[in-house]
Amino acid sequence: MKHQLEQQKAERQRLREQGRKAIEVERARKEKEKAEAAQQARAKAKEKTKTDAGKPAPATAKDATAAPVQAPEPVLAVPGSQPPHKQHGTYKGEVLAVDNAYVYQQTGKNVVHHLRTQFNELPKVGDELAIRYDAGKVTHVKEIDRGHGYGR
């Protein structure tokens, strides 16, 4: 039993570390995208300044040739995590990671990502929680006492 608990603890630690690394990678990617977008905007503005020299200002401020900007797909901090079945159900387990969009929770062998906006008070990494859904919304969040539940 003690060996099994040690294995579970090691697995939670591994997943926590994986989540932290994924968050760092995502932050670096976003920073790189911002820097590239800023550089492109500066280059476009510089080019526009060169071509617009001596021309009257356009009737509208909007550039008709600009393509619509699409928001990037969200990247999950814990790859392989699944969304909860929100209609009803309770998810019990440790919070592995929290990012700008999701709260990641280890539930047995699975990892569930809950929308961060569903929480009145944001959980902390390491919290043991029971998160209950009803009619598509988080209706109850309860901290689980770590001293109970093991050794049955």
Side-chain angles (χ1 to χ4, degrees):
M1 185 64 173
K2 189 175 183 179
H3 179 68
Q4 186 179 20
L5 290 174
E6 289 173 4
Q7 285 180 330
Q8 289 173 349
K9 185 177 179 181
E11 178 66 10
R12 284 194 306 268
Q13 182 63 31
R14 184 188 68 75
L15 288 170
R16 233 184 265 118
E17 188 61 32
Q18 182 182 8
R20 286 186 194 115
K21 287 178 183 177
I23 289 170
E24 289 174 18
V25 167
E26 177 61 13
R27 283 183 187 148
R29 184 188 66 77
K30 285 181 180 179
E31 287 177 16
K32 183 178 177 183
E33 284 179 357
K34 284 181 184 178
E36 288 173 353
Q39 184 178 6
Q40 289 175 354
R42 285 191 299 272
K44 187 174 181 178
K46 188 175 181 180
E47 185 64 33
K48 186 169 177 71
T49 305
K50 286 180 184 178
T51 58
D52 288 348
K55 292 182 183 177
T60 63
K62 189 171 185 174
D63 183 5
T65 62
V69 178
Q70 292 182 337
E73 288 290 321
V75 176
L76 300 176
V78 180
S81 65
Q82 300 294 317
H85 300 288
K86 293 182 191 177
Q87 290 309 311
H88 56 80
T90 301
Y91 298 87
K92 295 179 182 179
E94 180 180 6
V95 174
L96 298 176
V98 178
D99 66 13
N100 292 336
Y102 298 104
V103 172
Y104 301 89
Q105 182 186 32
Q106 177 80 44
T107 58
K109 292 182 179 181
N110 300 317
V111 176
V112 175
H113 58 266
H114 308 277
L115 282 174
R116 180 181 170 134
T117 57
Q118 292 274 329
F119 295 89
N120 293 332
E121 186 177 323
L122 198 60
K124 295 177 181 66
V125 173
D127 285 353
E128 289 277 343
L129 299 177
I131 301 171
R132 183 171 43 203
Y133 282 85
D134 191 22
K137 296 187 180 194
V138 172
T139 58
H140 187 72
V141 178
K142 179 181 177 186
E143 191 161 353
I144 300 171
D145 184 9
R146 291 181 189 225
H148 296 86
Y150 295 115
R152 287 187 194 193

